[in-house]
Amino acid sequence: MAIGIGSTLLIRSWKRTRLLPEEVALAVAWVFVVGGLVWLEAYLKGSTLLGFGPPWTWLAAAHFGAAGYGALTVTALVCRTVSHLQAQCTLRVLLAVHPVAYLVTAAGISGVRYCSELGALSYFVLFVVQLGAFFFGNPSRISVGPRILLALALAVPLGTIVPALAWAWQQPLLDLGGMVKYHGVVNAIGHVGLGLLALGWGRPQSHAPFREPASNALQS
């Protein structure tokens, strides 16, 4: 099902007047859903995947969902809200940063040296730049109510990244349970959940509408 949704979104991105990175990213984000389901299956079966067993398989599944699919989808839809061209370009660059930061973080969890620090720092920069691009990018393409809610959602990771940075530098402020609560859950609800709620409420339209069918274009 996830593959089907992603494929449909990818086809729809090609049917627009321009092929925009954010519309492609909405489709690519579903790859993370597939990955999350693989890790979730491993957790439910109590098996080991890539050398990781419970509870890490569950944490990996949750990370695929929130930091992978959720965060990338939020950034892609935030692109639709801003009118300033430079802000649009900045957010589109962040769409490429997302999977890189995710993979570097995953490598760090796997024990690759310096990747934990680099991954956490990458996410910190990503979220700071994203919030700045939203505020200064003239987000007039979404109404005031959902705009305020979205601004709050985009600010959440700036707080939750602090324990992640401390964890990456091996100076943990929280134990694993605390990280799940105050980093994972707060990000999933406060950033991804609240962000998608705001974007679903405001329904900002794509910068590239769908192309008219050839028959309609000839009639007009």
Side-chain angles (χ1 to χ4, degrees):
M1 181 178 178
I3 295 174
I5 294 173
S7 299
T8 300
L9 289 171
L10 186 60
I11 292 170
R12 285 170 61 87
S13 72
W14 280 93
K15 292 182 177 180
R16 296 184 180 276
T17 53
R18 288 183 296 153
L19 184 63
L20 296 178
E22 61 265 30
E23 304 303 328
V24 175
L26 289 175
V28 173
W30 284 87
V31 173
F32 288 101
V33 176
V34 175
L37 291 173
V38 171
W39 282 94
L40 181 60
E41 182 180 15
Y43 171 74
L44 293 175
K45 290 182 177 180
S47 57
T48 300
L49 182 60
L50 300 179
F52 292 95
W56 292 101
T57 45
W58 176 83
L59 291 172
H63 202 245
F64 264 91
Y69 167 78
L72 180 57
T73 298
V74 167
T75 302
L77 292 174
V78 168
C79 288
R80 293 182 174 185
T81 68
V82 297
S83 300
H84 197 284
L85 182 58
Q86 187 174 355
Q88 293 173 33
C89 293
T90 299
L91 289 166
R92 286 164 182 162
V93 170
L94 295 184
L95 295 174
V97 175
H98 265 288
V100 173
Y102 187 93
L103 291 173
V104 170
T105 301
I109 294 173
S110 300
V112 179
R113 195 174 182 183
Y114 302 126
C115 281
S116 290
E117 296 92 333
L118 183 58
L121 188 59
S122 298
Y123 271 115
F124 174 72
V125 173
L126 189 158
F127 291 130
V128 169
V129 172
Q130 177 174 254
L131 185 61
F134 175 74
F135 269 116
F136 298 107
N138 187 19
S140 57
R141 304 181 82 247
I142 186 171
S143 56
V144 175
R147 187 190 310 167
I148 294 171
L149 195 62
L150 180 56
L152 176 60
L154 296 180
V156 166
L158 300 187
T160 59
I161 196 67
V162 173
L165 287 166
W167 185 280
W169 261 268
Q170 299 182 3
Q171 300 292 330
L173 301 175
L174 305 167
D175 59 13
L176 183 59
M179 286 293 291
V180 170
K181 291 179 182 178
Y182 301 110
H183 175 72
V185 174
V186 174
N187 265 335
I189 297 175
H191 176 56
V192 177
L194 200 61
L196 293 179
L197 176 64
L199 289 159
W201 177 17
R203 299 185 67 83
Q205 298 301 304
S206 173
H207 290 282
F210 288 108
R211 292 192 299 269
E212 292 186 11
S215 57
N216 291 351
L218 289 173
Q219 290 174 6
S220 60

